[in-house]
Amino acid sequence: MLWFCLFFKASRVMVASRNYGDFASEATFEIKKCDLHRLEEGPSTTAVMTREEGLQYYKTMQTIRRMELKSDQLYKQKIIRGFCHLYDGQEACCVGIEAAIKPTDHVITAYRAHGFTFTRGVPVREILAELTGRKGGCAKGKGGSMHMYTKNFYGGNGIVGAQVPLGAGIALACKYNGKNEICLALYGDGAANQGQIFETYNMAALWKLPCIFICENNRYGMGTSVERAAASTDYYKRGYFIPGLRVDGMDILCVREAVKFAAEYCRSGNGPLVMELQTYRYHGHSMSDPGISYRTREEIQEVRSKSDPITLLKDRMVNNNLASVEELKEIDVAVRKEIEEAAQFATTDPEPPLEDLGHHIYFNEPPFEVRGPNQWIKYKSVG
């Protein structure tokens, strides 16, 4: 027993003394080829990832995962109320997208928006505080799960599919202003049959808008499988006259390389492109959905064991000497600490006062009066 203790301590010293020079600075990976529609060439089938990139991707995905699990806990404690759609399982999509675009590019998505809110720059504490309806939330506690915003991120939209034509409008502004920016408009497979999406495809193609339409296909629209909901599940071909890509959405490097390709395509004046990210959500559609009435626990467990995006990245990094298991565990510990501190803030920060109810109706406008529940109650709106 004494020998084991001495060996264990010596091993810890060796791990602690291992310096960054022991690791490779970068590695090249073979990635899955994308399916193409109306494209002669597609994204690269190899991807170079540096050690710094890998560590950042890992930390970001792990932060989103832990944030969503904490949200689940707070919801079950009835601290978070109302609609709440969690993103765990789909982390490679939002992190891979952000790694491939510029901060000045624009993103708009549906109501499963927590991951994108974080990758666009909103701190965890502000996201959790928004979920709990507190003043320190990113929308001052008035938006909740589905309505979070920051610079060049337009939500979080509660109407199924409605963000897609809004995204085309943002792309029109990008083209009109001539700043070589693009817009990424995301929607789920459940929204993919909406008529407004096809109207938007048509307009975007006519005007050659710099817009990437991205369908996050997590295989279920609420409780309905894609096979039962769509006559054609080739969502990347749904633009018909618009080129498309189908991508492994559980592999962050596949997502990154595909979005890089798509972004360059749109910036070059070629018009829009449709992308399908094949992904999977571990939670139900929302917190009111247990998620196992239309799929089995075994199916969920199989995806977790074979295709989890965080595990896939971790294995790549360790097997290619970009990081050690111990180093990644240290990141896990730091992330858990950050999430706990953010949750503490989100549960102790005060709720917004009633007089804030009329604020932020317009941006940068002079204050004006807003009628309350009856004509004798007045609120002042401040932009």
Side-chain angles (χ1 to χ4, degrees):
M1 187 64 184
L2 178 62
W3 173 86
F4 175 78
C5 291
L6 291 172
F7 175 78
F8 181 71
K9 287 180 180 178
S11 298
R12 292 192 65 180
V13 170
M14 287 175 65
V15 169
S17 64
R18 186 176 180 185
N19 59 52
Y20 295 138
D22 297 332
F23 296 111
S25 60
E26 64 179 40
T28 302
F29 302 92
E30 296 290 326
I31 56 176
K32 185 177 178 181
K33 184 179 180 181
C34 296
D35 296 319
L36 307 180
H37 171 64
R38 295 177 69 93
L39 287 168
E40 293 183 5
E41 295 183 5
S44 173
T45 55
T46 61
V48 176
M49 181 174 68
T50 67
R51 168 177 154 79
E52 289 72 23
E53 288 173 339
L55 291 173
Q56 184 59 48
Y57 299 161
Y58 181 83
K59 182 180 179 182
T60 305
M61 287 202 290
Q62 194 67 271
T63 300
I64 295 169
R65 176 71 56 87
R66 302 310 308 182
M67 177 178 71
E68 296 298 65
L69 294 178
K70 177 57 70 173
S71 300
D72 172 279
Q73 180 186 342
L74 294 173
Y75 197 96
K76 289 172 179 174
Q77 293 172 351
K78 298 187 177 181
I79 297 171
I80 296 173
R81 310 298 287 264
F83 294 108
C84 187
H85 305 81
L86 301 183
Y87 200 72
D88 51 318
Q90 300 183 207
E91 296 89 352
C93 296
C94 64
V95 181
I97 286 170
E98 190 62 37
I101 62 175
K102 301 174 182 178
T104 51
D105 290 326
H106 307 265
V107 177
I108 186 167
T109 188
Y111 39 73
R112 201 178 304 280
H114 306 164
F116 287 99
T117 307
F118 180 69
T119 56
R120 290 264 86 185
V122 177
V124 174
R125 58 187 272 143
E126 291 186 22
I127 295 172
L128 290 182
E130 189 58 40
L131 287 168
T132 58
R134 307 305 171 106
K135 194 173 182 178
C138 57
K140 310 300 181 187
K142 295 188 287 188
S145 174
M146 298 195 293
H147 304 290
M148 300 183 184
Y149 313 93
T150 191
K151 187 172 177 62
N152 297 331
F153 177 63
Y154 306 83
N157 291 267
I159 305 300
V160 174
Q163 71 279 5
V164 179
L166 294 178
I170 296 167
L172 175 60
C174 292
K175 184 172 183 177
Y176 182 84
N177 290 325
K179 293 182 179 178
N180 203 27
E181 297 167 356
I182 62 172
C183 181
L184 290 76
L186 293 108
Y187 56 98
D189 52 276
N193 299 317
Q194 285 270 322
Q196 59 188 323
I197 291 179
F198 294 92
E199 292 179 50
T200 304
Y201 286 165
N202 183 63
M203 191 173 291
L206 281 172
W207 293 349
K208 287 197 171 184
L209 300 182
C211 190
I212 309 174
F213 299 107
I214 302 178
C215 176
E216 288 185 286
N217 177 9
N218 60 24
R219 293 167 49 177
Y220 297 94
M222 296 187 72
T224 306
S225 68
V226 293
E227 292 80 12
R228 292 180 59 214
S232 170
T233 57
D234 291 334
Y235 296 106
Y236 72 111
K237 294 181 179 179
R238 288 287 192 91
Y240 304 112
F241 39 79
I242 299 175
L245 296 169
R246 182 159 60 191
V247 184
D248 181 358
M250 302 298 274
D251 182 346
I252 185 172
L253 295 182
C254 279
V255 175
R256 187 190 73 179
E257 294 306 308
V259 176
K260 279 183 180 178
F261 173 88
E264 180 58 32
Y265 178 92
C266 290
R267 286 190 217 280
S268 300
N270 295 310
L273 190 142
V274 176
M275 183 182 297
E276 175 187 347
L277 300 181
Q278 293 185 310
T279 184
Y280 197 82
R281 55 169 164 81
Y282 293 155
H283 268 84
H285 170 73
S286 69
M287 284 301 297
S288 61
D289 168 23
I292 52 173
S293 59
Y294 49 87
R295 58 182 185 176
T296 63
R297 294 181 189 274
E298 289 74 24
E299 177 185 303
I300 301 168
Q301 188 54 44
E302 183 179 13
V303 176
R304 282 183 180 274
S305 62
K306 294 182 179 179
S307 305
D308 183 77
I310 297 176
T311 303
L312 177 61
L313 177 63
K314 178 181 179 179
D315 290 346
R316 274 179 169 159
M317 293 184 70
V318 172
N319 294 339
N320 288 271
N321 196 34
L322 292 175
S324 66
V325 172
E326 293 77 17
E327 185 178 18
L328 298 179
K329 283 182 179 178
E330 289 176 6
I331 292 175
D332 295 346
V333 171
V335 165
R336 286 174 187 251
K337 184 174 183 292
E338 179 188 0
I339 299 300
E340 289 301 323
E341 290 174 352
Q344 180 66 22
F345 171 76
T347 53
T348 57
D349 192 52
E351 294 180 355
L354 190 60
E355 53 266 26
D356 283 7
L357 190 62
H359 290 183
H360 308 113
I361 294 175
Y362 296 108
F363 173 70
N364 206 23
E365 288 283 325
F368 61 95
E369 280 194 341
V370 179
R371 175 178 160 167
N374 63 56
Q375 59 183 324
W376 298 283
I377 298 177
K378 303 287 186 182
Y379 298 107
K380 180 170 280 190
S381 181
V382 179

